[in-house]
PDB file of all heavy atoms in Angstrom:
ATOM      1  N   LEU A1182     -12.262 -10.050 -25.528  1.00  0.00           N
ATOM      2  CA  LEU A1182     -11.002 -10.334 -24.840  1.00  0.00           C
ATOM      3  C   LEU A1182      -9.928 -10.882 -25.777  1.00  0.00           C
ATOM      4  O   LEU A1182      -8.828 -10.331 -25.841  1.00  0.00           O
ATOM      5  CB  LEU A1182     -11.256 -11.288 -23.672  1.00  0.00           C
ATOM      6  CG  LEU A1182     -10.117 -11.483 -22.680  1.00  0.00           C
ATOM      7  CD1 LEU A1182      -9.733 -10.158 -22.043  1.00  0.00           C
ATOM      8  CD2 LEU A1182     -10.510 -12.483 -21.592  1.00  0.00           C
ATOM      9  N   PRO A1183     -10.179 -11.957 -26.557  1.00  0.00           N
ATOM     10  CA  PRO A1183      -9.116 -12.460 -27.437  1.00  0.00           C
ATOM     11  C   PRO A1183      -8.767 -11.503 -28.586  1.00  0.00           C
ATOM     12  O   PRO A1183      -7.604 -11.416 -28.983  1.00  0.00           O
ATOM     13  CB  PRO A1183      -9.699 -13.775 -27.973  1.00  0.00           C
ATOM     14  CG  PRO A1183     -11.167 -13.662 -27.794  1.00  0.00           C
ATOM     15  CD  PRO A1183     -11.365 -12.818 -26.584  1.00  0.00           C
ATOM     16  N   VAL A1184      -9.757 -10.790 -29.104  1.00  0.00           N
ATOM     17  CA  VAL A1184      -9.473  -9.867 -30.206  1.00  0.00           C
ATOM     18  C   VAL A1184      -8.649  -8.680 -29.711  1.00  0.00           C
ATOM     19  O   VAL A1184      -7.700  -8.236 -30.378  1.00  0.00           O
ATOM     20  CB  VAL A1184     -10.783  -9.381 -30.865  1.00  0.00           C
ATOM     21  CG1 VAL A1184     -10.479  -8.391 -31.972  1.00  0.00           C
ATOM     22  CG2 VAL A1184     -11.574 -10.565 -31.402  1.00  0.00           C
ATOM     23  N   GLU A1185      -8.980  -8.156 -28.535  1.00  0.00           N
ATOM     24  CA  GLU A1185      -8.200  -7.059 -27.970  1.00  0.00           C
ATOM     25  C   GLU A1185      -6.770  -7.506 -27.684  1.00  0.00           C
ATOM     26  O   GLU A1185      -5.816  -6.754 -27.876  1.00  0.00           O
ATOM     27  CB  GLU A1185      -8.855  -6.544 -26.680  1.00  0.00           C
ATOM     28  CG  GLU A1185     -10.195  -5.862 -26.873  1.00  0.00           C
ATOM     29  CD  GLU A1185     -10.076  -4.460 -27.440  1.00  0.00           C
ATOM     30  OE1 GLU A1185      -8.987  -4.106 -27.947  1.00  0.00           O
ATOM     31  OE2 GLU A1185     -11.065  -3.713 -27.387  1.00  0.00           O
ATOM     32  N   ALA A1186      -6.611  -8.750 -27.233  1.00  0.00           N
ATOM     33  CA  ALA A1186      -5.272  -9.271 -26.975  1.00  0.00           C
ATOM     34  C   ALA A1186      -4.451  -9.309 -28.257  1.00  0.00           C
ATOM     35  O   ALA A1186      -3.251  -9.029 -28.252  1.00  0.00           O
ATOM     36  CB  ALA A1186      -5.359 -10.657 -26.347  1.00  0.00           C
ATOM     37  N   PHE A1187      -5.094  -9.657 -29.367  1.00  0.00           N
ATOM     38  CA  PHE A1187      -4.409  -9.682 -30.658  1.00  0.00           C
ATOM     39  C   PHE A1187      -3.914  -8.290 -31.049  1.00  0.00           C
ATOM     40  O   PHE A1187      -2.874  -8.147 -31.706  1.00  0.00           O
ATOM     41  CB  PHE A1187      -5.358 -10.228 -31.731  1.00  0.00           C
ATOM     42  CG  PHE A1187      -4.781 -10.234 -33.116  1.00  0.00           C
ATOM     43  CD1 PHE A1187      -3.859 -11.203 -33.503  1.00  0.00           C
ATOM     44  CD2 PHE A1187      -5.145  -9.257 -34.032  1.00  0.00           C
ATOM     45  CE1 PHE A1187      -3.316 -11.187 -34.781  1.00  0.00           C
ATOM     46  CE2 PHE A1187      -4.611  -9.249 -35.311  1.00  0.00           C
ATOM     47  CZ  PHE A1187      -3.685 -10.223 -35.685  1.00  0.00           C
ATOM     48  N   LEU A1188      -4.640  -7.241 -30.610  1.00  0.00           N
ATOM     49  CA  LEU A1188      -4.274  -5.863 -30.926  1.00  0.00           C
ATOM     50  C   LEU A1188      -3.407  -5.225 -29.841  1.00  0.00           C
ATOM     51  O   LEU A1188      -3.187  -4.005 -29.851  1.00  0.00           O
ATOM     52  CB  LEU A1188      -5.533  -5.024 -31.132  1.00  0.00           C
ATOM     53  CG  LEU A1188      -6.357  -5.371 -32.376  1.00  0.00           C
ATOM     54  CD1 LEU A1188      -7.634  -4.556 -32.400  1.00  0.00           C
ATOM     55  CD2 LEU A1188      -5.545  -5.129 -33.651  1.00  0.00           C
ATOM     56  N   GLY A1189      -2.923  -6.016 -28.899  1.00  0.00           N
ATOM     57  CA  GLY A1189      -1.969  -5.508 -27.918  1.00  0.00           C
ATOM     58  C   GLY A1189      -2.540  -5.110 -26.589  1.00  0.00           C
ATOM     59  O   GLY A1189      -1.803  -4.659 -25.708  1.00  0.00           O
ATOM     60  N   VAL A1190      -3.850  -5.250 -26.387  1.00  0.00           N
ATOM     61  CA  VAL A1190      -4.473  -4.910 -25.109  1.00  0.00           C
ATOM     62  C   VAL A1190      -4.602  -6.189 -24.287  1.00  0.00           C
ATOM     63  O   VAL A1190      -5.350  -7.097 -24.663  1.00  0.00           O
ATOM     64  CB  VAL A1190      -5.860  -4.269 -25.295  1.00  0.00           C
ATOM     65  CG1 VAL A1190      -6.453  -3.891 -23.945  1.00  0.00           C
ATOM     66  CG2 VAL A1190      -5.770  -3.063 -26.204  1.00  0.00           C
ATOM     67  N   SER A1191      -3.899  -6.257 -23.190  1.00  0.00           N
ATOM     68  CA  SER A1191      -3.928  -7.473 -22.374  1.00  0.00           C
ATOM     69  C   SER A1191      -4.771  -7.244 -21.122  1.00  0.00           C
ATOM     70  O   SER A1191      -4.746  -6.164 -20.526  1.00  0.00           O
ATOM     71  CB  SER A1191      -2.507  -7.893 -21.976  1.00  0.00           C
ATOM     72  OG  SER A1191      -1.878  -6.882 -21.216  1.00  0.00           O
ATOM     73  N   VAL A1192      -5.508  -8.275 -20.754  1.00  0.00           N
ATOM     74  CA  VAL A1192      -6.334  -8.251 -19.547  1.00  0.00           C
ATOM     75  C   VAL A1192      -5.990  -9.476 -18.721  1.00  0.00           C
ATOM     76  O   VAL A1192      -6.183 -10.609 -19.173  1.00  0.00           O
ATOM     77  CB  VAL A1192      -7.838  -8.240 -19.880  1.00  0.00           C
ATOM     78  CG1 VAL A1192      -8.658  -8.139 -18.594  1.00  0.00           C
ATOM     79  CG2 VAL A1192      -8.177  -7.092 -20.826  1.00  0.00           C
TER      80      VAL A1192
END
Side-chain angles (χ1 to χ4, degrees):
L1182 192 59
V1184 178
E1185 293 284 15
F1187 177 77
L1188 292 175
V1190 182
S1191 61
V1192 183

